[in-house]
Amino acid sequence: MTRRTTALSAAVALAAALALTGCSSDDGGPRLKVSGAYMPQPVMDMAGGFLTIENTGDTADKLTSVTSPLSDDVTMHETKDQKMRAVTSFDIPANGELKLARGGNHLMFMELKSKPKQGEKVSVELHFEKADPITVDLPVEAANHNPQQH
């Protein structure tokens, strides 16, 4: 009888531990979602990329790099005081968002392997400090497309 009780107690303890582990693995880490992604049709051998990354988690994260078959040189730029400079990462606050938009922070695709046309899509992979990579298709819009003006 005690052997059965011990086995039952061990099973209950194991189930409780697994249940707690399940809860703690989803305890508010970064939960990222991308929206509003687009690339204006390039007119030279470089292009910009814009999108919003929403973090509904309780933990901040960072966008650390971007890769794309379109270019071997995709960089992140911030715009401060109307000056653009490359950065190594962008912060994505907990329960907040990172907005990459015209006139502000953005992605730069240098030395394009091809010039995508309006209506096509450009695949990018976003890499983060904590979250798994996210692959996004950026629709190519008109060169003067700016959703902020609508």
Side-chain angles (χ1 to χ4, degrees):
M1 196 73 151
T2 58
R3 192 172 198 177
R4 188 177 206 188
T5 304
T6 304
L8 182 59
S9 296
V12 168
L14 179 60
L18 289 173
L20 287 174
T21 303
C23 291
S24 65
S25 68
D26 190 27
D27 65 345
R31 284 194 291 267
L32 307 178
K33 184 177 121 186
V34 177
S35 63
Y38 75 97
M39 171 185 282
Q41 182 174 311
V43 292
M44 301 188 323
D45 68 341
M46 67 174 107
F50 308 99
L51 50 84
T52 298
I53 302 171
E54 181 183 8
N55 181 0
T56 59
D58 294 331
T59 302
D61 206 344
K62 289 181 185 286
L63 177 64
T64 56
S65 68
V66 180
T67 55
S68 174
L70 181 65
S71 170
D72 292 331
D73 185 12
V74 183
T75 56
M76 300 178 289
H77 287 100
E78 71 175 5
T79 304
K80 282 190 177 172
D81 301 323
Q82 298 183 336
K83 290 182 183 151
M84 191 173 65
R85 73 176 181 100
V87 296
T88 56
S89 66
F90 282 125
D91 292 331
I92 308 167
N95 297 301
E97 67 180 19
L98 166 64
K99 193 176 223 36
L100 303 181
R102 281 188 183 261
N105 299 337
H106 58 279
L107 305 176
M108 284 298 300
F109 298 77
M110 309 302 286
E111 299 177 23
L112 302 179
K113 296 177 183 178
S114 65
K115 283 191 190 170
K117 304 279 185 233
Q118 186 174 350
E120 295 177 355
K121 291 184 187 223
V122 173
S123 178
V124 299
E125 188 171 76
L126 307 173
H127 302 269
F128 304 95
E129 185 176 73
K130 297 173 185 162
D132 290 336
I134 298 175
T135 300
V136 179
D137 286 332
L138 278 64
V140 179
E141 302 288 355
N144 63 351
H145 179 74
N146 190 349
Q148 294 176 340
Q149 292 178 342
H150 300 302

